Amino acid sequence: MGHNSAASVLDDQTTHSFAKDQLKAIVERIERLETEKKTISDDIKDVYGEAKGNGYDVKALREIIRMRKQDANERAERETILETYLSALGML
């Protein structure tokens, strides 16, 4: 019985060691991705800056990017609601 308990302690240590290594790997992957995310975010800002430098309206570009992510039906529905509201306010 003493032999089994020594083996189970060894198994616990192996499991613990594996869990530690796995945790470290997860944290390092997240850190790498966070760094890539920052780089991509900076690149996007640069493109908006370039667009602004060429005379484009950055707010309008951001709105277009947001709209293009939406489902076509969802976008049409939002545009209809917007038009209804603008019309009701006498803004069209």
Side-chain angles (χ1 to χ4, degrees), residues 41-66 69:
S41 183
D42 289 345
D43 289 349
I44 291 170
K45 280 182 200 158
D46 289 347
V47 175
Y48 278 118
E50 188 182 316
K52 187 176 182 177
N54 287 322
Y56 291 99
D57 184 300
V58 171
K59 278 186 182 176
L61 288 173
R62 288 188 190 279
E63 180 70 9
I64 288 167
I65 298 296
R66 189 186 62 72
K69 286 182 195 173

mmCIF file of all heavy atoms in Angstrom, residues 41-66 69:
data_model
loop_
_atom_site.group_PDB
_atom_site.id
_atom_site.type_symbol
_atom_site.label_atom_id
_atom_site.label_comp_id
_atom_site.label_asym_id
_atom_site.label_seq_id
_atom_site.Cartn_x
_atom_site.Cartn_y
_atom_site.Cartn_z
ATOM 1 N N SER A 41 -3.530 47.054 -34.269
ATOM 2 C CA SER A 41 -4.272 48.266 -33.907
ATOM 3 C C SER A 41 -3.512 49.519 -34.369
ATOM 4 O O SER A 41 -4.109 50.446 -34.926
ATOM 5 C CB SER A 41 -4.481 48.291 -32.393
ATOM 6 O OG SER A 41 -5.234 49.395 -32.022
ATOM 7 N N ASP A 42 -2.196 49.524 -34.151
ATOM 8 C CA ASP A 42 -1.364 50.655 -34.602
ATOM 9 C C ASP A 42 -1.388 50.771 -36.128
ATOM 10 O O ASP A 42 -1.448 51.880 -36.665
ATOM 11 C CB ASP A 42 0.072 50.498 -34.096
ATOM 12 C CG ASP A 42 0.199 50.708 -32.592
ATOM 13 O OD1 ASP A 42 -0.757 51.241 -31.978
ATOM 14 O OD2 ASP A 42 1.242 50.342 -32.028
ATOM 15 N N ASP A 43 -1.355 49.624 -36.814
ATOM 16 C CA ASP A 43 -1.407 49.626 -38.282
ATOM 17 C C ASP A 43 -2.724 50.220 -38.775
ATOM 18 O O ASP A 43 -2.754 50.982 -39.740
ATOM 19 C CB ASP A 43 -1.238 48.206 -38.838
ATOM 20 C CG ASP A 43 0.186 47.668 -38.675
ATOM 21 O OD1 ASP A 43 1.086 48.464 -38.320
ATOM 22 O OD2 ASP A 43 0.391 46.458 -38.900
ATOM 23 N N ILE A 44 -3.826 49.849 -38.113
ATOM 24 C CA ILE A 44 -5.145 50.373 -38.493
ATOM 25 C C ILE A 44 -5.180 51.887 -38.310
ATOM 26 O O ILE A 44 -5.656 52.615 -39.183
ATOM 27 C CB ILE A 44 -6.272 49.675 -37.690
ATOM 28 C CG1 ILE A 44 -6.392 48.210 -38.126
ATOM 29 C CG2 ILE A 44 -7.606 50.395 -37.866
ATOM 30 C CD1 ILE A 44 -7.290 47.363 -37.236
ATOM 31 N N LYS A 45 -4.631 52.364 -37.177
ATOM 32 C CA LYS A 45 -4.570 53.816 -36.936
ATOM 33 C C LYS A 45 -3.770 54.506 -38.036
ATOM 34 O O LYS A 45 -4.145 55.590 -38.487
ATOM 35 C CB LYS A 45 -3.913 54.107 -35.578
ATOM 36 C CG LYS A 45 -4.844 53.936 -34.404
ATOM 37 C CD LYS A 45 -4.131 54.296 -33.111
ATOM 38 C CE LYS A 45 -4.844 53.686 -31.921
ATOM 39 N NZ LYS A 45 -3.993 53.551 -30.751
ATOM 40 N N ASP A 46 -2.670 53.874 -38.450
ATOM 41 C CA ASP A 46 -1.844 54.441 -39.524
ATOM 42 C C ASP A 46 -2.633 54.569 -40.824
ATOM 43 O O ASP A 46 -2.526 55.577 -41.523
ATOM 44 C CB ASP A 46 -0.594 53.579 -39.764
ATOM 45 C CG ASP A 46 0.421 53.668 -38.632
ATOM 46 O OD1 ASP A 46 0.292 54.576 -37.778
ATOM 47 O OD2 ASP A 46 1.348 52.825 -38.602
ATOM 48 N N VAL A 47 -3.441 53.547 -41.140
ATOM 49 C CA VAL A 47 -4.236 53.585 -42.379
ATOM 50 C C VAL A 47 -5.275 54.695 -42.302
ATOM 51 O O VAL A 47 -5.468 55.448 -43.263
ATOM 52 C CB VAL A 47 -4.900 52.222 -42.675
ATOM 53 C CG1 VAL A 47 -5.811 52.315 -43.895
ATOM 54 C CG2 VAL A 47 -3.839 51.147 -42.892
ATOM 55 N N TYR A 48 -5.934 54.830 -41.129
ATOM 56 C CA TYR A 48 -6.895 55.934 -40.956
ATOM 57 C C TYR A 48 -6.181 57.284 -41.091
ATOM 58 O O TYR A 48 -6.714 58.207 -41.710
ATOM 59 C CB TYR A 48 -7.609 55.844 -39.596
ATOM 60 C CG TYR A 48 -8.777 54.890 -39.581
ATOM 61 C CD1 TYR A 48 -8.780 53.776 -38.752
ATOM 62 C CD2 TYR A 48 -9.903 55.119 -40.374
ATOM 63 C CE1 TYR A 48 -9.872 52.902 -38.724
ATOM 64 C CE2 TYR A 48 -10.988 54.257 -40.349
ATOM 65 C CZ TYR A 48 -10.966 53.144 -39.526
ATOM 66 O OH TYR A 48 -12.042 52.292 -39.498
ATOM 67 N N GLY A 49 -4.982 57.383 -40.537
ATOM 68 C CA GLY A 49 -4.205 58.622 -40.645
ATOM 69 C C GLY A 49 -3.864 58.945 -42.085
ATOM 70 O O GLY A 49 -3.946 60.099 -42.511
ATOM 71 N N GLU A 50 -3.494 57.912 -42.823
ATOM 72 C CA GLU A 50 -3.172 58.067 -44.251
ATOM 73 C C GLU A 50 -4.422 58.528 -45.012
ATOM 74 O O GLU A 50 -4.344 59.437 -45.852
ATOM 75 C CB GLU A 50 -2.688 56.705 -44.774
ATOM 76 C CG GLU A 50 -2.143 56.698 -46.174
ATOM 77 C CD GLU A 50 -1.737 55.289 -46.598
ATOM 78 O OE1 GLU A 50 -1.105 54.581 -45.790
ATOM 79 O OE2 GLU A 50 -2.079 54.923 -47.742
ATOM 80 N N ALA A 51 -5.566 57.900 -44.698
ATOM 81 C CA ALA A 51 -6.823 58.264 -45.355
ATOM 82 C C ALA A 51 -7.162 59.722 -45.059
ATOM 83 O O ALA A 51 -7.530 60.478 -45.961
ATOM 84 C CB ALA A 51 -7.956 57.344 -44.883
ATOM 85 N N LYS A 52 -7.002 60.121 -43.793
ATOM 86 C CA LYS A 52 -7.279 61.504 -43.397
ATOM 87 C C LYS A 52 -6.357 62.466 -44.154
ATOM 88 O O LYS A 52 -6.791 63.508 -44.640
ATOM 89 C CB LYS A 52 -7.084 61.663 -41.885
ATOM 90 C CG LYS A 52 -7.507 63.019 -41.358
ATOM 91 C CD LYS A 52 -7.382 63.084 -39.846
ATOM 92 C CE LYS A 52 -7.848 64.432 -39.338
ATOM 93 N NZ LYS A 52 -7.804 64.507 -37.866
ATOM 94 N N GLY A 53 -5.099 62.074 -44.282
ATOM 95 C CA GLY A 53 -4.122 62.870 -45.022
ATOM 96 C C GLY A 53 -4.486 63.032 -46.480
ATOM 97 O O GLY A 53 -4.122 64.020 -47.121
ATOM 98 N N ASN A 54 -5.230 62.056 -47.004
ATOM 99 C CA ASN A 54 -5.684 62.120 -48.397
ATOM 100 C C ASN A 54 -7.068 62.759 -48.527
ATOM 101 O O ASN A 54 -7.677 62.710 -49.590
ATOM 102 C CB ASN A 54 -5.698 60.716 -49.019
ATOM 103 C CG ASN A 54 -4.299 60.213 -49.293
ATOM 104 O OD1 ASN A 54 -3.419 60.960 -49.702
ATOM 105 N ND2 ASN A 54 -4.075 58.929 -49.057
ATOM 106 N N GLY A 55 -7.557 63.341 -47.428
ATOM 107 C CA GLY A 55 -8.807 64.095 -47.488
ATOM 108 C C GLY A 55 -10.072 63.308 -47.179
ATOM 109 O O GLY A 55 -11.171 63.836 -47.336
ATOM 110 N N TYR A 56 -9.936 62.047 -46.753
ATOM 111 C CA TYR A 56 -11.129 61.265 -46.422
ATOM 112 C C TYR A 56 -11.587 61.563 -45.000
ATOM 113 O O TYR A 56 -10.788 61.870 -44.125
ATOM 114 C CB TYR A 56 -10.857 59.756 -46.566
ATOM 115 C CG TYR A 56 -10.659 59.348 -48.002
ATOM 116 C CD1 TYR A 56 -9.383 59.169 -48.521
ATOM 117 C CD2 TYR A 56 -11.751 59.148 -48.847
ATOM 118 C CE1 TYR A 56 -9.190 58.805 -49.844
ATOM 119 C CE2 TYR A 56 -11.569 58.779 -50.171
ATOM 120 C CZ TYR A 56 -10.289 58.608 -50.660
ATOM 121 O OH TYR A 56 -10.110 58.250 -51.960
ATOM 122 N N ASP A 57 -12.900 61.444 -44.776
ATOM 123 C CA ASP A 57 -13.498 61.667 -43.465
ATOM 124 C C ASP A 57 -13.386 60.367 -42.661
ATOM 125 O O ASP A 57 -13.987 59.359 -43.010
ATOM 126 C CB ASP A 57 -14.967 62.066 -43.643
ATOM 127 C CG ASP A 57 -15.635 62.403 -42.322
ATOM 128 O OD1 ASP A 57 -15.693 61.522 -41.438
ATOM 129 O OD2 ASP A 57 -16.109 63.543 -42.173
ATOM 130 N N VAL A 58 -12.605 60.404 -41.592
ATOM 131 C CA VAL A 58 -12.321 59.216 -40.792
ATOM 132 C C VAL A 58 -13.581 58.681 -40.098
ATOM 133 O O VAL A 58 -13.800 57.475 -40.044
ATOM 134 C CB VAL A 58 -11.183 59.487 -39.779
ATOM 135 C CG1 VAL A 58 -11.030 58.341 -38.791
ATOM 136 C CG2 VAL A 58 -9.874 59.731 -40.507
ATOM 137 N N LYS A 59 -14.435 59.588 -39.597
ATOM 138 C CA LYS A 59 -15.681 59.143 -38.947
ATOM 139 C C LYS A 59 -16.537 58.358 -39.933
ATOM 140 O O LYS A 59 -17.113 57.316 -39.574
ATOM 141 C CB LYS A 59 -16.472 60.329 -38.399
ATOM 142 C CG LYS A 59 -15.995 60.815 -37.053
ATOM 143 C CD LYS A 59 -16.941 61.894 -36.526
ATOM 144 C CE LYS A 59 -16.456 62.437 -35.193
ATOM 145 N NZ LYS A 59 -17.310 63.548 -34.727
ATOM 146 N N ALA A 60 -16.643 58.856 -41.160
ATOM 147 C CA ALA A 60 -17.439 58.172 -42.184
ATOM 148 C C ALA A 60 -16.823 56.802 -42.498
ATOM 149 O O ALA A 60 -17.549 55.809 -42.624
ATOM 150 C CB ALA A 60 -17.531 59.018 -43.451
ATOM 151 N N LEU A 61 -15.508 56.742 -42.593
ATOM 152 C CA LEU A 61 -14.838 55.461 -42.858
ATOM 153 C C LEU A 61 -15.107 54.462 -41.734
ATOM 154 O O LEU A 61 -15.412 53.295 -41.998
ATOM 155 C CB LEU A 61 -13.325 55.653 -43.010
ATOM 156 C CG LEU A 61 -12.851 56.333 -44.286
ATOM 157 C CD1 LEU A 61 -11.359 56.607 -44.208
ATOM 158 C CD2 LEU A 61 -13.166 55.464 -45.500
ATOM 159 N N ARG A 62 -15.012 54.915 -40.484
ATOM 160 C CA ARG A 62 -15.271 54.026 -39.334
ATOM 161 C C ARG A 62 -16.706 53.502 -39.375
ATOM 162 O O ARG A 62 -16.956 52.330 -39.081
ATOM 163 C CB ARG A 62 -15.013 54.755 -38.016
ATOM 164 C CG ARG A 62 -13.544 54.997 -37.736
ATOM 165 C CD ARG A 62 -13.314 55.552 -36.329
ATOM 166 N NE ARG A 62 -11.956 55.993 -36.132
ATOM 167 C CZ ARG A 62 -10.934 55.185 -35.841
ATOM 168 N NH1 ARG A 62 -11.127 53.895 -35.698
ATOM 169 N NH2 ARG A 62 -9.717 55.682 -35.674
ATOM 170 N N GLU A 63 -17.640 54.370 -39.746
ATOM 171 C CA GLU A 63 -19.052 53.977 -39.843
ATOM 172 C C GLU A 63 -19.234 52.929 -40.945
ATOM 173 O O GLU A 63 -19.950 51.941 -40.759
ATOM 174 C CB GLU A 63 -19.915 55.209 -40.123
ATOM 175 C CG GLU A 63 -21.394 54.941 -40.243
ATOM 176 C CD GLU A 63 -22.065 54.572 -38.930
ATOM 177 O OE1 GLU A 63 -21.437 54.681 -37.860
ATOM 178 O OE2 GLU A 63 -23.244 54.151 -38.979
ATOM 179 N N ILE A 64 -18.580 53.134 -42.088
ATOM 180 C CA ILE A 64 -18.660 52.179 -43.196
ATOM 181 C C ILE A 64 -18.097 50.826 -42.774
ATOM 182 O O ILE A 64 -18.711 49.781 -43.032
ATOM 183 C CB ILE A 64 -17.933 52.720 -44.450
ATOM 184 C CG1 ILE A 64 -18.743 53.856 -45.055
ATOM 185 C CG2 ILE A 64 -17.692 51.608 -45.469
ATOM 186 C CD1 ILE A 64 -17.989 54.670 -46.084
ATOM 187 N N ILE A 65 -16.950 50.823 -42.098
ATOM 188 C CA ILE A 65 -16.334 49.575 -41.627
ATOM 189 C C ILE A 65 -17.304 48.857 -40.680
ATOM 190 O O ILE A 65 -17.505 47.649 -40.780
ATOM 191 C CB ILE A 65 -14.988 49.849 -40.905
ATOM 192 C CG1 ILE A 65 -13.959 50.501 -41.847
ATOM 193 C CG2 ILE A 65 -14.432 48.568 -40.296
ATOM 194 C CD1 ILE A 65 -13.512 49.681 -43.017
ATOM 195 N N ARG A 66 -17.916 49.618 -39.767
ATOM 196 C CA ARG A 66 -18.867 49.031 -38.821
ATOM 197 C C ARG A 66 -20.065 48.417 -39.569
ATOM 198 O O ARG A 66 -20.483 47.297 -39.286
ATOM 199 C CB ARG A 66 -19.358 50.095 -37.828
ATOM 200 C CG ARG A 66 -20.180 49.528 -36.670
ATOM 201 C CD ARG A 66 -20.763 50.615 -35.791
ATOM 202 N NE ARG A 66 -21.689 51.489 -36.507
ATOM 203 C CZ ARG A 66 -22.921 51.136 -36.908
ATOM 204 N NH1 ARG A 66 -23.380 49.934 -36.659
ATOM 205 N NH2 ARG A 66 -23.691 52.001 -37.543
ATOM 206 N N LYS A 69 -19.537 45.081 -41.386
ATOM 207 C CA LYS A 69 -19.476 43.900 -40.515
ATOM 208 C C LYS A 69 -20.859 43.325 -40.269
ATOM 209 O O LYS A 69 -20.996 42.145 -39.940
ATOM 210 C CB LYS A 69 -18.869 44.273 -39.150
ATOM 211 C CG LYS A 69 -17.386 44.510 -39.175
ATOM 212 C CD LYS A 69 -16.907 44.813 -37.770
ATOM 213 C CE LYS A 69 -15.526 45.403 -37.763
ATOM 214 N NZ LYS A 69 -15.139 45.855 -36.417
#
